Amino acid sequence: MPRKRDVDEVEVEIDEDSDSDDGRSKRKPNRRQGAGRGGGGARGRGRGRGKKQDSDDEEEEAQRGRGRGANKRKPAKKKGGSDDDDESEDEAPKKKKGGAAKKKKGGKAQDSDDDDSDDDKQKKGKKGGKKGGKDEDNGKGKKGDAKGKDKGKDKDDDKKKKKKKGDSSDDDDSDDEEEEESMSEGEMARLMEEVEEKKKLIANIRTKPWRMQRRLVVLKEAQEFVDKFEGALGKGKGRKWYAYKVMMMKKWIKFQRDFENFRTACIPWERKIKEVESHFGSSVASYFIFLRWMYGMNLVLFGLTFGLVVIPEVLMGLPYGSIPRKTVPRAEQDTAQDYSVLMDFNGYCKYSVLFYGYYNDQRTVGLLKFRLPLSYLMVGIGSFGYSLMLVIRTMAKNADVGGGDGEEGEFTFAWKMFTSWDYLIGNSETADNKYASITTSFKESIVDEQENQKDENIHLRRFLRVLANFLITCSLGGSGYLIYFVVKRSQEFANRTDLSWYEKNELEIIMSLLGLVCPPLFETIAELEDYHPRIALKWQLGRIFALFLGNLYTFLFALFDEVNTKLEEEESIKNASIWALKEYYANYSRMFNDTDTTPPPMNPADVIRGPCWETAVGIEFVKLTVSDIQVSYLTILIMDFARAVIVRFLNYCWCWDLEAGFPSYGEFDISGNVLGLVFNQGMIWMGAFYAPGLVGINVLRLLSSMYYQCWAVMATNVPHERVFKASKSNNFYMGLLLLILFLSLLPVVYTIMSLPPSFDCGPFSGKNKMYDVVMETIDLDLPAFMGTLFSYAANPGLIIPAVLLMVLAIYYLNSTSEAYQNSNMELKKKMQMARDEEKNRRNNKDSTNQVLKDLEDLLPNRSLAPPAPPEPEKAADERPTKTKPGSAGKGVNLQKDVALASPNPNALGPVNRQPGPRGPGAGGGRGRGRGAPPR
Amino acid sequence: MGNKQTIFTAQQLDAYQDCTYFTRKEILRLFYRYRDLAPQLVPLDYTNHPDVKLPYELIGSMPELKDNPFRQRIAEVFSEDGQGNMTLNDFLDMFSVLSEMAPRDLKAYYAFKIYDFNDDDFICKSDLEKTLNKLTRNELTEDEVRMVCEKVIDEADLDNDGRLSLEDFQHMIVRAPDFLRYRNSDT
């Protein structure tokens, strides 16, 4: 950390000494270690050295830049005699030793690097501080003093250098030394160390902020050195291996880079989204990113379903028309190709691979003996498993990004200022967009900031918020009751036949109306609350979510009612058809005296069949999805596009300004779109088991809506009035998605586990339960002991302890994570405190400087009556409480006060006496000088 | 790619590879990029280190820099004469630092230099204002600019001297999640 500017000579010397003492004491044992061990130690030291060189040069450069201007850096480099070089060379071994000591302990190069860089920072800071001090003093006529300080240090350095000469390993002199010395074991090791170090330098030369020319020169020297001395070392055993390792590392890095390039090239719509982002801010873009993420996930689900279920069935299963379930029944055949029927997913659609009922219950299909029913079940479950895993993993990753690196909000503006420009932009249009987006994001932050500072009538706001929540709860309850009422009525209607169109579609109409009316209502009510837009968005999302959830579950219950009636119906048909079959077989065997059962010679279209509730459910979901797509696309077309066209072109001949006035252009409705997407995904998850084609439809939908919505938003919408930033991690969306995933998992699992599959359609026909297919596979295809193993595993005696164990594990992990969190918080707090302390110290100094200035102003007047003592006295009193950050700097500053005041002979008397007794105390107050003996 | 040996010697190429984050191919590609800026100025033979400089006007017109608000600063920082006129070495240097292989520290160092408009080794308020105005094309009001600059200094200035030193800057920037991602530039 930078030191205070007004350090005096004594302090510097103390510091230097203690440092060098440290260095020496550490160095000696370590030195041995390095020599004795040869390679390992050498490498560690080399690493330390490489780093140090880096920092030295930085320092050097900085200093030169400061001293003379930026251009003349190069030429002086190799002059061993100049002050700068002395300094840096001299600090080098010291630092290196520190690094090596660490190395010995940890064995990890990382440690030493970190340590070194810390050291560097301190050193640099110190130097910077001193320079600053010099600058300041220049004005006050203390130049000589400051110079002397520097010189003193240099002298000190020189002295040290001499001491260290023996084992200092600087570029030039040590080369010569090395040559002269005979090759004892220790020398060998040292030489090896040198070579290793040079190699490190060669490897790291690109990380140095030097001019290319200088790099080339240094590189050449290093290479020559290595060439010269590597021969002397002989070809060590590890050498080749090391070279090989280095080469492989390079290749690996290259591969990683290529792969990364490839991967980023594969991410679609990056530019589209960036374009949207630049115009509408990150919140709208976050919707599109979410959409893209969903598209990726659905693509995988699509691959699973089509690759493992649909395509095998199409390629290897029986063709259309071969068995009843794959044939349109005779009664429907006339209308099976009508457009209206197809649009309702009846007719040919119903008896196609899109739906559950089409799949045959053959245990294996094709030459490969592909177990289709098993695969069907596994894909159904696997889709859920995959989605669950993906959602949770993404959430975890987002959380990691959010809390991983620097604390949120600590450097908001600084980061925005320094990292927001996208250096990859090579297109003026994109650049324009980027400018727009940067401006937007600055405005967002400013809004955020003002939001933080705003401070109004809190009671009124609280009251309004409570009121708003009350109103919204009322309307939610109202809509829930309305749906319940309508469902009840529809159950009554179900028994009647003379229904009007409205009565038939009452439920759907009410639900869409609610979906249309409630969100704007909520939004209006939310105005009362006056939240920050980001928080308001979350509330809005949550409320609409509750509304939709009500709708969805009402729909589900209605569906289950239907399924139950279908199941009863099916039961009777099943019995009847079994009876018919039995009769047929009985007749057959009686007439031909033959027990070979050949199926009755019936056209598959004429066979009596059950209602196949799975397909019915699938059709419901597909219909719902399709109508959802239609509604959302039409809404965009009418609400956004038509409105935009009207506003744009009627504006020429209208009595008020349409663009600025009432209709205006639409804003992009983030909450509605996100929820639409989430609920749509819920439908897909629920329906995909009964209609494998649904996933394909969904992929198409997402793909088209990406383009369509991107176009719509760019063409017809205007940015939100108050642009705001999406929260860094869109874990909120993910949370919604996870909830929906669970909610859609429930009914599907329920049906799989408890409802009997239809007897004459689908891959599980003829089984009592769908999961019987797994049992069958275990029994027939796996070796016998696996069956017993599974039966043991399914034993409650084993399951209960396993569940218990899992619960315990969760509990344990939870508590450890909590502990980690606590310690993390603690550390963060400590860091913050350290920072604050630092800041306060500086602050205080500034403020004392202010006092000082006032004092200076007063000085001439004080020549008559010197009232100075009280003030230093006070400061002295404060000194013991220096642990408090606020007063930490005071003792120190008074010295400066003295120094500055000294020109005035009158003031000199009373004030100057103070430092004498206070000397050591003041030293103790300083952060770094603590504990150092006065000299 | 033509005959490589006429442009650089093998040693030169190796040295450049050691000194930059580029492969041999990329170096040659960069050379051609450099040469294409001014074919009449740049010789095809670099084996004897010809002393050629391209003026800033040519460097700044490259598509990579053309739209960059800081192009002038970047050219100035990386050029040896501080005026934005670049030799091939400077040119390679610049792309090496801006490439995605370059480590954070190096980037942070150069980023600091780039944002330090007045070369006083501190990013002071005027530097920040300049940066901000360049980033937003003067679209923020003066009040907003002042507020943002004050916030930046308040956030990142650890020693409270009202300006950002290199340490402040590094401390702040290496924690930025976007820093590495955004300061990339590939050839």
Side-chain angles (χ1 to χ4, degrees):
Chain A
M1 288 290 108
R3 282 185 64 153
K4 264 156 254 150
R5 284 181 218 147
D6 49 343
V7 249
D8 54 346
E9 198 172 338
V10 180
E11 281 305 313
V12 172
E13 305 237 321
I14 287 168
D15 270 7
E16 285 306 317
D17 256 12
S18 66
D19 268 7
S20 68
D21 278 347
D22 273 6
R24 237 171 286 142
S25 55
K26 262 185 207 162
R27 187 176 77 227
K28 272 180 192 149
N30 193 45
R31 186 73 210 155
R32 302 258 152 74
Q33 189 95 5
R37 265 209 217 137
R43 195 169 302 166
R45 293 191 42 162
R47 176 76 62 101
R49 186 81 67 85
K51 190 79 184 181
K52 132 243 150 180
Q53 200 104 14
D54 178 359
S55 59
D56 286 348
D57 283 305
E58 254 179 53
E59 257 168 59
E60 185 190 334
E61 204 168 40
Q63 213 157 27
R64 271 161 205 278
R66 243 169 259 160
R68 290 165 223 168
N71 300 347
K72 306 181 187 169
R73 263 164 221 153
K74 245 190 310 165
K77 206 286 152 164
K78 286 295 153 198
K79 266 187 233 158
S82 93
D83 284 1
D84 285 343
D85 276 10
D86 264 5
E87 231 170 78
S88 58
E89 273 169 17
D90 224 315
E91 272 169 19
K94 208 168 57 196
K95 224 172 289 167
K96 184 187 68 196
K97 299 293 134 63
K102 264 274 157 72
K103 171 79 193 168
K104 185 181 63 180
K105 247 185 276 162
K108 261 193 215 160
Q110 201 69 32
D111 288 358
S112 69
D113 277 5
D114 287 349
D115 189 56
D116 276 356
S117 62
D118 278 355
D119 272 6
D120 294 349
K121 255 190 208 150
Q122 284 183 349
K123 296 253 149 70
K124 250 184 287 170
K126 202 195 310 168
K127 212 163 279 176
K130 219 181 290 158
K131 283 281 164 187
K134 188 171 153 190
D135 289 347
E136 193 160 287
D137 287 342
N138 277 349
K140 318 269 177 189
K142 298 271 287 180
K143 199 185 268 175
D145 196 36
K147 274 251 175 81
K149 188 197 305 171
D150 274 359
K151 280 228 182 87
K153 192 189 175 225
D154 286 346
K155 239 184 282 163
D156 196 24
D157 286 344
D158 273 346
K159 210 162 48 193
K160 263 185 281 162
K161 182 170 181 179
K162 258 167 229 152
K163 269 184 246 155
K164 280 176 195 160
K165 192 76 173 184
D167 50 10
S168 97
S169 41
D170 286 312
D171 304 5
D172 295 335
D173 356 58
S174 62
D175 290 4
D176 302 335
E177 269 172 50
E178 227 70 69
E179 257 178 304
E180 288 157 17
E181 280 156 1
S182 62
M183 289 296 191
S184 70
E185 190 61 22
E187 294 309 314
M188 268 298 256
R190 227 169 69 196
L191 191 53
M192 200 147 138
E193 204 172 292
E194 291 295 317
V195 170
E196 203 64 48
E197 178 192 321
K198 288 284 178 197
K199 281 190 168 170
K200 267 287 181 294
L201 177 66
I202 292 171
N204 288 333
I205 195 154
R206 56 186 73 161
T207 63
K208 324 242 140 115
W210 302 340
R211 296 274 168 220
M212 183 69 80
Q213 198 63 42
R214 178 168 161 208
R215 253 186 249 168
L216 288 173
V217 170
V218 174
L219 178 75
K220 209 171 162 196
E221 274 168 13
Q223 271 170 340
E224 271 165 12
F225 179 85
V226 170
D227 285 348
K228 197 166 163 193
F229 289 103
E230 205 170 22
L233 287 170
K235 296 278 178 277
K237 241 192 296 172
R239 195 147 303 275
K240 255 187 180 162
W241 168 240
Y242 181 66
Y244 177 73
K245 235 170 42 185
V246 166
M247 196 186 69
M248 285 318 280
M249 191 56 91
K250 260 188 182 164
K251 288 219 158 117
W252 171 239
I253 287 169
K254 176 100 180 84
F255 169 76
Q256 271 181 325
R257 182 188 177 187
D258 286 348
F259 183 74
E260 192 61 29
N261 282 348
F262 174 73
R263 222 177 49 121
T264 37
C266 281
I267 296 175
W269 304 311
E270 192 67 41
R271 265 184 83 164
K272 251 185 170 15
I273 292 174
K274 278 266 173 326
E275 203 180 324
V276 170
E277 186 174 19
S278 65
H279 280 90
F280 294 91
S282 43
S283 54
V284 177
S286 76
Y287 165 73
F288 284 98
I289 290 169
F290 186 56
L291 180 61
R292 182 174 65 183
W293 183 88
M294 291 277 252
Y295 179 70
M297 186 182 71
N298 276 287
L299 220 52
V300 174
L301 295 185
F302 175 75
L304 274 179
T305 317
F306 272 68
L308 293 176
V309 173
V310 176
I311 293 184
E313 176 71 29
V314 170
L315 291 183
M316 301 187 285
L318 294 168
Y320 173 82
S322 54
I323 49 171
R325 74 186 63 179
K326 296 193 178 189
T327 318
V328 179
R330 182 82 61 199
E332 293 175 26
Q333 266 180 3
D334 300 335
T335 57
Q337 267 181 321
D338 287 4
Y339 178 74
S340 60
V341 173
L342 285 182
M343 278 321 282
D344 277 347
F345 295 95
N346 275 320
Y348 282 109
C349 270
K350 188 174 172 184
Y351 301 97
S352 71
V353 278
L354 288 184
F355 293 107
Y356 172 93
Y358 183 82
Y359 292 85
N360 199 357
D361 59 347
Q362 267 175 305
R363 232 173 67 71
T364 58
V365 293
L367 290 171
L368 298 172
K369 302 223 177 276
F370 187 74
R371 289 174 182 78
L372 194 72
L374 182 69
S375 154
Y376 196 100
L377 188 72
M378 285 303 164
V379 165
I381 294 169
S383 302
F384 278 112
Y386 171 76
S387 314
L388 209 59
M389 207 183 70
L390 193 67
V391 172
I392 289 177
R393 227 185 56 181
T394 313
M395 282 179 86
K397 216 161 69 185
N398 281 350
D400 206 32
V401 168
D405 232 342
E407 300 90 290
E408 279 284 310
E410 194 188 350
F411 297 123
T412 333
F413 283 94
W415 284 348
K416 207 156 264 183
M417 167 112 54
F418 295 122
T419 68
S420 58
W421 182 255
D422 189 341
Y423 279 71
L424 283 174
I425 287 175
N427 170 330
S428 57
E429 201 178 329
T430 327
D432 285 343
N433 284 346
K434 189 70 194 175
Y435 284 120
S437 105
I438 289 174
T439 313
T440 313
S441 78
F442 269 114
K443 287 201 170 139
E444 282 171 5
S445 304
I446 290 170
V447 168
D448 279 6
E449 194 61 33
Q450 282 162 352
E451 207 70 28
N452 286 344
Q453 288 163 0
K454 209 156 55 179
D455 160 48
E456 280 167 32
N457 188 345
I458 196 130
H459 294 294
L460 177 67
R461 190 182 294 180
R462 261 185 207 153
F463 169 72
L464 283 179
R465 283 181 184 174
V466 169
L467 182 70
N469 275 317
F470 176 71
L471 285 178
I472 282 168
T473 317
C474 281
S475 54
L476 272 180
S479 78
Y481 179 73
L482 193 61
I483 292 175
Y484 173 77
F485 178 73
V486 173
V487 167
K488 276 276 171 214
R489 228 156 79 112
S490 77
Q491 278 167 356
E492 268 172 41
F493 287 152
N495 304 327
R496 282 164 38 192
T497 48
D498 54 333
L499 290 176
S500 64
W501 177 83
Y502 169 75
E503 282 169 328
K504 256 194 230 164
N505 295 302
E506 193 181 44
L507 182 60
E508 281 81 6
I509 291 171
I510 293 290
M511 272 165 69
S512 344
L513 267 181
L514 280 178
L516 220 61
V517 170
C518 280
L521 183 72
F522 291 166
E523 209 158 337
T524 321
I525 295 174
E527 298 267 302
L528 282 178
E529 297 176 305
D530 196 26
Y531 277 125
H532 179 275
R534 197 184 309 142
I535 301 164
L537 176 70
K538 278 191 182 176
W539 276 99
Q540 175 77 355
L541 276 171
R543 284 159 186 169
I544 302 176
F545 189 80
L547 182 77
F548 278 16
L549 211 61
N551 295 0
L552 189 73
Y553 260 68
T554 333
F555 170 75
L556 274 182
F557 284 128
L559 212 60
F560 268 112
D561 267 357
E562 206 180 311
V563 166
N564 282 331
T565 51
K566 284 238 163 88
L567 276 175
E568 283 163 25
E569 189 187 337
E570 187 192 79
E571 196 62 25
S572 59
I573 294 177
K574 187 179 168 186
N575 289 340
S577 65
I578 287 173
W579 179 251
L581 262 186
K582 275 199 174 142
E583 222 162 48
Y584 169 79
Y585 286 137
N587 288 336
Y588 188 87
S589 45
R590 192 168 54 92
M591 278 156 76
F592 298 95
N593 242 344
D594 184 1
T595 46
D596 274 359
T597 51
T598 28
M602 215 177 196
N603 188 317
D606 297 327
V607 173
I608 308 164
R609 49 184 94 171
C612 196
W613 62 267
E614 291 96 337
T615 300
V617 171
I619 286 177
E620 283 301 318
F621 276 110
V622 172
K623 260 158 87 179
L624 212 67
T625 309
V626 170
S627 73
D628 183 43
I629 297 172
Q630 285 166 346
V631 167
S632 60
Y633 281 19
L634 277 179
T635 318
I636 291 175
L637 210 58
I638 294 167
M639 294 292 285
D640 288 325
F641 186 64
R643 179 172 162 188
V645 167
I646 289 171
V647 168
R648 176 81 178 76
F649 291 105
L650 279 188
N651 203 24
Y652 298 118
C653 49
W654 205 260
C655 24
W656 69 82
D657 188 2
L658 284 175
E659 283 183 346
F662 161 58
S664 179
Y665 295 105
E667 280 182 358
F668 186 77
D669 175 19
I670 304 167
S671 55
N673 276 300
V674 165
L675 280 180
L677 210 56
V678 166
F679 273 85
N680 176 55
Q681 192 59 40
M683 299 281 182
I684 305 305
W685 276 321
M686 273 193 267
F689 189 72
Y690 304 111
L694 192 58
V695 190
I697 294 174
N698 192 42
V699 167
L700 286 183
R701 179 230 167 110
L702 293 177
L703 187 67
S704 60
S705 87
M706 187 80 199
Y707 288 101
Y708 183 56
Q709 288 195 301
C710 264
W711 165 79
V713 87
M714 292 300 283
T716 67
N717 286 0
V718 288
H720 288 251
E721 231 170 282
R722 294 170 72 194
V723 272
F724 62 95
K725 204 174 132 186
S727 44
K728 189 111 193 163
S729 56
N730 44 9
N731 260 355
F732 189 71
Y733 298 165
M734 288 292 163
L736 290 183
L737 200 63
L738 191 65
L739 188 58
I740 279 289
L741 181 56
F742 273 117
L743 291 177
S744 54
L745 189 64
L746 288 179
V748 175
V749 169
Y750 170 72
T751 51
I752 290 179
M753 296 314 276
S754 60
L755 293 185
S758 299
F759 77 102
D760 65 343
C761 69
F764 311 113
S765 55
K767 311 250 181 334
N768 278 335
K769 292 282 185 293
M770 291 183 183
Y771 58 82
D772 280 352
V773 107
V774 181
M775 302 296 158
E776 194 186 70
T777 310
I778 291 170
D779 286 344
L780 296 179
D781 294 333
L782 295 179
F785 75 91
M786 290 293 273
T788 46
L789 216 67
F790 272 102
S791 67
Y792 285 140
N795 190 348
L798 214 67
I799 287 176
I800 292 171
V803 169
L804 269 179
L805 198 71
M806 271 194 264
V807 169
L808 282 180
I810 289 173
Y811 176 74
Y812 170 73
L813 289 178
N814 201 29
S815 51
T816 35
S817 85
E818 222 157 78
Y820 281 133
Q821 224 162 16
N822 280 343
S823 67
N824 226 348
M825 289 298 294
E826 204 62 30
L827 282 177
K828 257 187 195 168
K829 230 191 274 170
K830 261 184 201 158
M831 271 166 65
Q832 189 62 37
M833 255 164 65
R835 225 189 115 195
D836 284 353
E837 190 172 354
E838 187 79 16
K839 258 196 163 170
N840 273 339
R841 223 158 52 196
R842 304 288 162 185
N843 263 340
N844 239 43
K845 193 171 74 185
D846 276 2
S847 66
T848 25
N849 275 346
Q850 197 55 48
V851 171
L852 207 98
K853 274 177 206 149
D854 296 348
L855 209 72
E856 235 174 330
D857 289 345
L858 288 174
L859 279 178
N861 300 339
R862 262 178 25 184
S863 55
L864 295 175
E871 214 170 312
E873 215 52 56
K874 207 174 126 204
D877 286 343
E878 264 179 71
R879 234 188 307 124
T881 63
K882 217 164 280 162
T883 41
K884 262 197 241 161
S887 51
K890 278 210 169 146
V892 179
N893 285 306
L894 275 165
Q895 284 182 334
K896 183 172 181 190
D897 179 357
V898 171
L900 288 173
S902 58
N904 189 330
N906 289 329
L908 198 79
V911 185
N912 214 10
R913 219 170 291 138
Q914 209 60 30
R918 209 199 300 160
R926 219 154 302 171
R928 270 178 53 87
R930 208 164 297 177
R935 213 170 83 163
Chain B
M1 280 289 161
N3 190 354
K4 291 160 194 159
Q5 302 314 323
T6 57
I7 303 167
F8 301 111
T9 61
Q11 287 85 2
Q12 270 178 314
L13 266 183
D14 283 343
Y16 278 135
Q17 280 179 64
D18 278 329
C19 290
T20 64
Y21 291 92
F22 296 125
T23 63
R24 169 197 206 93
K25 226 177 179 175
E26 286 166 330
I27 288 168
L28 283 171
R29 207 159 76 211
L30 274 173
F31 169 75
Y32 284 110
R33 288 292 304 278
Y34 182 69
R35 187 172 181 274
D36 284 347
L37 292 176
Q40 70 282 6
L41 281 180
V42 183
L44 264 174
D45 179 13
Y46 254 77
T47 46
N48 49 1
H49 308 284
D51 184 27
V52 179
K53 273 186 188 171
L54 290 191
Y56 164 69
E57 287 71 36
L58 286 173
I59 300 286
S61 67
M62 291 183 66
E64 282 83 358
L65 293 176
K66 186 165 53 83
D67 296 305
N68 197 314
F70 306 110
R71 58 181 177 279
Q72 177 127 28
R73 269 309 290 172
I74 293 176
E76 280 170 18
V77 165
F78 283 102
S79 64
E80 194 139 15
D81 60 1
Q83 305 294 314
N85 307 323
M86 290 190 144
T87 63
L88 179 65
N89 283 343
D90 297 334
F91 190 75
L92 286 175
D93 216 10
M94 175 171 77
F95 277 98
S96 171
V97 171
L98 291 179
S99 84
E100 59 185 28
M101 302 286 284
R104 266 170 189 240
D105 289 342
L106 188 65
K107 284 186 186 227
Y109 175 79
Y110 277 106
F112 179 79
K113 298 207 76 157
I114 287 170
Y115 291 124
D116 177 20
F117 283 86
N118 51 12
D119 277 327
D120 63 351
D121 288 312
F122 287 100
I123 294 182
C124 51
K125 250 189 188 155
S126 67
D127 293 329
L128 288 176
E129 275 164 20
K130 243 181 214 166
T131 309
L132 191 59
N133 283 331
K134 275 188 189 294
L135 269 180
T136 57
R137 287 192 174 158
N138 301 321
E139 277 187 40
L140 294 182
T141 63
E142 260 181 45
D143 275 349
E144 284 171 328
V145 170
R146 199 168 347 101
M147 183 190 152
V148 170
C149 292
E150 270 164 18
K151 286 301 289 181
V152 169
I153 289 197
D154 182 50
E155 282 167 0
D157 182 21
L158 292 181
D159 48 12
N160 240 42
D161 55 358
R163 50 191 189 172
L164 306 185
S165 63
L166 181 59
E167 289 87 50
D168 295 338
F169 186 76
Q170 277 174 333
H171 175 255
M172 178 268 296
I173 204 85
V174 294
R175 281 169 178 70
D178 289 341
F179 178 57
L180 265 194
R181 192 147 58 82
Y182 278 141
R183 288 195 56 87
N184 292 339
S185 166
D186 218 351
T187 49

